[in-house]
Amino acid sequence: MISTLILVAALLLIVIGMPVGFAIGIAGTSFFLLPGTFLPDSTAVQRIVAVSQSFPLLAVPLFILLGNLMNGAGITHRLIALATTLAGWMRGGFAQSSLLLSAMMGGVSGSAVADAAMQARVIGLPMVAKGYSPGFTGAILAIGGLVTATIPPSLGLILYGYLGEVSIGKLFIAGIVPGVLLTVALMLATRFVAVRRDYKPERDSAPTLREVGSALRTGFWAVLFPIWLLLGIRFGIFTPSEAGAFAVAYTLIVGMFIYRELTLKGVIDACIRTLNDIGMIMVIIMFSGTFGYVITFERVPQEIAEFALTAFSNPTVLLFVVSGFLLAMGMLIEATVLVMLLTPILVPVITAAGIDPVHFGLIMMTLVTFGGMTPPVGVSMFTVCGILRCSYKDYTVESIPFVAAVLLTVVLMILFPGVVMYLPNLVM
């Protein structure tokens, strides 16, 4: 009962506009101040400090720094050129290229909002100038960024793995096939719309092998990075946290000495932006330590697991019910907050039901990240609509085919666990 009140208090504080980190911190800490709580007040402080002492958590600031360094390093526009070469010949070529770019950016930025914001500035405005409606452009750029929720190095998967004590390396590898399927589903939805509206290709014909080879040579160092990242984790050369350090060093070397586009001023600007981003995220993470401790102390996961296993004997039915809950919550609350709040509760539940936590992690991250692209409070939606100056109504209507593609992909992931688990079981 007390834990329910604390969860409701946290949600109410978020709804009335209090910063998320403080809302979680106040709700969690209040437990230790209630009469009848036989725990010292200092436990709350100890849990906050304990969270900051995590080695796996180093991956978060490192990958945030990586995303901020990427544009100045010359990686982004080379990936854009490669994506246009590969997909520009399709109907709606500009839109198709943006989806391929999201898939390639998934291995670099790790953030759906960062991906959507970058593409809205670089690709979105030219798309509108070429005759694509602002609503369609905003929808495809925002929802296309969903691919970064699964393709490594997803920041959400890092947090989920850390909080749920699930192998981050296995989560990274498991995200590749769902990421590819999601990209294909969104490209098919784009083609459907492009044919009906007569959106033209960017190229007259499919690229020749020579043109593809030339684009690959130009973007060789950018494309090579995610491959080295996954191979390094798979063969134990470095952990996911060390992979973040490798990625930053790799980007600095490529940007400063190979492409020679990353300047000292660019590095300093990226570090300043990273400090701002990390400050916000780490406050949420640290205060979630107290909140998570209260949830565990009150035996909330065990009680929910007992109820769920009694009410839903079929694991697939349980997954559908939990997925519907995650989708609804994702429409109201930012993805990072949901991961912090729900991972310690849900992972024991689905594990007790016989569902692999890696399988569930990919479904969870896809749905909670997708919520940020839908009304009423989608961060990615607000970002692209603000940059492209399109109405939220137009965005919502134009997003319907892409919403259908995403939900169909999630249904396939639930019904066929092998889609998610084939690669990690094969290589790990």
Side-chain angles (χ1 to χ4, degrees):
M1 181 63 182
I2 295 177
S3 55
T4 302
L5 291 175
I6 290 174
L7 179 60
V8 170
L11 295 176
L12 285 176
L13 290 172
I14 292 170
V15 168
I16 65 175
M18 179 175 286
V20 172
F22 294 118
I24 294 175
I26 291 172
T29 305
S30 65
F31 172 82
F32 299 92
L33 304 177
L34 295 174
T37 301
F38 303 104
L39 289 172
D41 300 348
S42 59
T43 305
V45 179
Q46 292 170 1
R47 299 313 306 172
I48 293 173
V49 174
V51 171
S52 68
Q53 308 303 304
S54 169
F55 182 73
L57 211 56
L58 279 175
V60 174
L62 288 171
F63 279 118
I64 291 174
L65 175 59
L66 171 66
N68 287 324
L69 285 172
M70 179 188 58
N71 288 340
I75 291 175
T76 301
H77 70 260
R78 286 173 171 80
L79 291 179
I80 292 174
L82 175 59
T84 304
T85 300
L86 293 175
W89 59 277
M90 302 177 186
R91 293 297 293 267
F94 226 152
Q96 302 283 17
S97 299
S98 76
L99 292 172
L100 269 190
L101 179 61
S102 289
M104 290 187 285
M105 289 276 288
V108 181
S109 75
S111 168
V113 178
D115 185 22
M118 182 280 297
Q119 292 211 49
R121 292 187 182 94
V122 176
I123 296 179
L125 297 175
M127 281 181 65
V128 174
K130 282 180 174 288
Y132 293 85
S133 72
F136 172 82
T137 302
I140 197 169
L141 294 181
I143 298 178
L146 181 60
V147 179
T148 65
T150 60
I151 289 184
S154 163
L155 294 179
L157 289 180
I158 294 173
L159 294 177
Y160 171 85
Y162 163 69
L163 294 167
E165 298 182 357
V166 182
S167 167
I168 296 175
K170 204 167 185 180
L171 285 167
F172 277 5
I173 294 174
I176 295 174
V177 173
V180 171
L181 286 178
L182 190 57
T183 303
V184 171
L186 291 172
M187 292 181 77
L188 290 175
T190 300
R191 175 175 172 77
F192 171 76
V193 176
V195 169
R196 295 186 63 182
R197 298 188 181 177
D198 197 27
Y199 288 149
K200 302 295 185 183
E202 289 302 301
R203 297 168 51 93
D204 295 331
S205 60
T208 64
L209 287 177
R210 176 174 292 183
E211 289 172 327
V212 173
S214 175
L216 282 173
R217 282 194 299 273
T218 302
F220 174 77
W221 295 103
V223 175
L224 192 62
F225 157 64
I227 298 173
W228 281 2
L229 192 70
L230 291 174
L231 290 178
I233 293 173
R234 165 62 186 89
F235 291 107
I237 299 173
F238 39 65
T239 67
S241 299
E242 293 165 343
F246 161 78
V248 170
Y250 181 89
T251 303
L252 288 172
I253 293 171
V254 170
M256 298 182 79
F257 301 109
I258 297 178
Y259 292 156
R260 298 183 180 180
E261 294 183 18
L262 185 61
T263 63
L264 181 60
K265 183 179 183 300
V267 174
I268 293 173
D269 289 343
C271 289
I272 293 173
R273 289 195 299 272
T274 301
L275 285 174
N276 292 330
D277 295 338
I278 292 172
M280 174 185 63
I281 293 173
M282 287 306 298
V283 166
I284 298 174
I285 293 173
M286 291 172 68
F287 281 132
S288 72
T290 300
F291 194 91
Y293 179 81
V294 172
I295 294 295
T296 304
F297 183 80
E298 288 282 288
R299 299 189 77 255
V300 173
Q302 293 89 331
E303 292 177 4
I304 293 178
E306 291 170 4
F307 169 78
L309 294 176
T310 303
F312 307 103
S313 57
N314 189 315
T316 303
V317 175
L318 176 61
L319 260 184
F320 272 111
V321 172
V322 173
S323 296
F325 168 72
L326 290 173
L327 180 60
M329 293 296 288
M331 293 179 178
L332 302 172
I333 302 173
E334 202 270 332
T336 303
V337 180
L338 281 180
V339 173
M340 298 294 177
L341 293 177
L342 299 180
T343 298
I345 299 174
L346 294 179
V347 169
V349 175
I350 59 97
T351 303
I355 300 168
D356 193 302
V358 174
H359 177 210
F360 175 71
L362 269 300
I363 294 171
M364 178 177 180
M365 281 314 308
T366 300
L367 289 172
V368 299
T369 307
F370 180 52
M373 300 155 187
T374 60
V377 292
V379 179
S380 292
M381 176 186 73
F382 291 147
T383 301
V384 297
C385 287
I387 294 173
L388 299 176
R389 301 184 184 280
C390 70
S391 72
Y392 302 131
K393 177 183 177 182
D394 291 343
Y395 172 96
T396 303
V397 172
E398 297 275 17
S399 68
I400 292 175
F402 307 114
V403 170
V406 171
L407 295 181
L408 178 60
T409 304
V410 172
V411 169
L412 289 175
M413 291 167 65
I414 294 174
L415 294 178
F416 303 99
V419 168
V420 178
M421 298 306 301
Y422 174 74
L423 268 186
N425 289 339
L426 179 68
V427 302
M428 298 189 73

